[in-house]
Amino acid sequence: MAAELQQQYPRGLAFSDELMREVQQRFIGVEHDHHGRERLYFDNAGGSFRLKAAVERFAQVDAIPDNAERIHATAVELQDIQARGSEDLRTILNAKGGSVYASFSASGAMFDMVRAIAENVPGTNMVTTVLEHPSAFDAMSLYAERLGRELRVAPSNPVTGGIDVEEIVRLVDKDTCLLNVIYASNISGAKLDMEAIVRRAREIKPDLYILVDAVQHAPHGLIDLQKTPVDGINLAPYKFFGCRGSGLSWLSERAAVLPHHKLAGKKAGYWDLGSSAPWQFAVLTEIVDYVCWLGGHFTDATDRRGLFVSGITHIELHERALLAVLLDGNENATGMREMRGVEVFLDHEDLTKRDLILGIGFDRIDCTQAVVEYAKHGVTVYERVATSIYSKRMLESFGIAGTVRVSPLHCNSVADVEKFLHITARIAADT
């Protein structure tokens, strides 16, 4: 049903006004910042709006002093919170078995997963892409150099803003020990065809280890590890309506038992070091509860994965509708494709292959000054510039010096986008 809906609504399907109000009521600060000032926050790719329930649950669970590694009643309660959160990560990913790894950050977990595979799986080369987040690209570079392996890097496609499947699989051979790919670009929003990448890479090397950075994509679209069976995948709750200070990853059974940093007395597939923070798992459950609540408006399904699939699918459809308005406008506002003085970068026509991220530039001011101008109008966006370690490699691959990254979230309305377009037109005209 999810695939059918994607085909049925190639330009998205916005929430009803009533549901939009209900969604916004569940988030903190959609219309005003923490000082009560009216604003539009369109930098969710850097850290998303927080669910009220997630923030409240964080405080509640983190205030409990008890250690989960005990036998009394509160310890058992904390164990149950962790167990449910672990299963909810599997719900998000449609993962079976394997190990859940709760870390301080998704970036730290990526370094750990790369190290375990690179140090213990034979091969002469490692494959990644030019669009990787530094946590993946730098980890691959570090261990390729340390272990004397060739690092092969797939180039970007400056038309789609993504990476062509063929550019990745042509680099894979029987001597590749690890393939590491990002699910969606955090600059262009382009989604990689993960199902085709995994299938074709494993046709070349059936036992190939594959890692995926899903931090950017997870809050915006469906992930199904039964269709894309990888060995490790991470996400960051602070970009998924949750809280900072947490990274959550899943590892396949074969990857989890590779030698890694752990206490000697723990089971082979155990990855946490020290006592886990139960709030990490509690917050993830609140995130899944919310997406399932949303999904319940569109499906008769009662199982948790079915409800989650429905919810995340309609999040994707609503965000695609917002993207369509940003690009092409509507009866109330001119879209940026037609806006004088504004350029849309990496503007691929097929919106089904894009998450809700947009890169734009202005004819008469650079992207850093544009961000300042937006702030004067109560809008928060972010400049991606080639001087930044988080942007340089990706932007240079596209031939772009800098871009204003615009990243609303599904709790934004069409009216929010219309307001943003009016402000953008004013900046383009006045500067």
Side-chain angles (χ1 to χ4, degrees), residues 323-394:
L323 179 59
V325 176
L326 279 168
L327 291 169
D328 295 320
N330 59 17
E331 64 275 12
N332 299 318
T334 301
M336 286 189 284
R337 282 174 170 164
E338 301 299 325
M339 197 174 291
R340 185 172 300 176
V342 176
E343 180 181 2
V344 180
F345 298 122
L346 308 167
D347 186 17
H348 188 50
E349 283 290 336
D350 189 350
L351 303 190
T352 67
K353 296 181 179 179
R354 302 169 63 171
D355 283 337
L356 182 53
I357 297 176
L358 202 60
I360 64 170
F362 289 81
D363 289 352
R364 293 186 284 184
I365 55 174
D366 64 25
C367 59
T368 300
Q369 184 58 40
V371 169
V372 173
E373 294 299 321
Y374 273 116
K376 293 177 183 177
H377 291 82
V379 178
T380 301
V381 288
Y382 180 56
E383 75 276 16
R384 300 304 300 256
V385 291
T387 55
S388 166
I389 62 170
Y390 295 101
S391 309
K392 177 179 175 63
R393 174 174 19 88
M394 304 82 149

Side-chain angles (χ1 to χ4, degrees), residues 300-339:
D300 293 328
T302 56
D303 66 290
R304 199 155 173 81
R305 173 65 182 179
L307 286 165
F308 182 86
V309 168
S310 174
I312 202 72
T313 298
H314 281 274
I315 283 173
E316 184 172 7
L317 289 172
H318 177 75
E319 290 189 345
R320 188 180 302 157
L322 297 183
L323 179 59
V325 176
L326 279 168
L327 291 169
D328 295 320
N330 59 17
E331 64 275 12
N332 299 318
T334 301
M336 286 189 284
R337 282 174 170 164
E338 301 299 325
M339 197 174 291

